[in-house]
Amino acid sequence: QSRNETSYKGTRMDTSWTPVVSSNIEALRHNPEGLFVKFKGGTVYQYLEVPRDIFVSLCSAESVGAAFHRLVKNQYEFSKVTT
């Protein structure tokens, strides 16, 4: 593995995060397997098969948390990656 890749649940992925301004979400990242959300406190969740345009919308949203709740939460299958 290269320096900027890591393995989660057997998958390789870019480890670069996009920081966001939010009271609850620290950063976002997207790859072909979906959207990764790092919450304040360090917990990371993977949301499966989230299209890249949703990621772009979240990154540019006036309220990242509201956009996340509207566009992602309860819309996509997810799993906890880290605590």
Side-chain angles (χ1 to χ4, degrees):
Q1 289 178 337
S2 73
R3 211 177 92 228
N4 56 340
E5 286 185 338
T6 190
S7 180
Y8 287 118
K9 300 195 177 212
T11 64
R12 292 179 67 191
M13 56 190 283
D14 183 19
T15 59
S16 47
W17 288 92
T18 300
V20 294
V21 176
S22 170
S23 61
N24 195 30
I25 297 172
E26 182 177 329
L28 302 169
R29 135 171 101 208
H30 188 271
N31 72 15
E33 296 172 1
L35 174 71
F36 292 78
V37 179
K38 183 188 291 184
F39 290 91
K40 305 256 171 140
T43 303
V44 175
Y45 283 87
Q46 176 185 12
Y47 293 83
L48 303 175
E49 300 178 1
V50 176
R52 183 155 182 84
D53 63 321
I54 299 283
F55 167 74
V56 171
S57 294
L58 289 173
C59 290
S60 62
E62 189 172 313
S63 171
V64 176
F68 172 77
H69 280 84
R70 187 176 70 254
L71 300 171
V72 178
K73 192 171 181 176
N74 301 320
Q75 304 290 324
Y76 295 93
E77 217 177 301
F78 67 92
S79 63
K80 190 178 201 179
V81 178
T82 64
T83 53

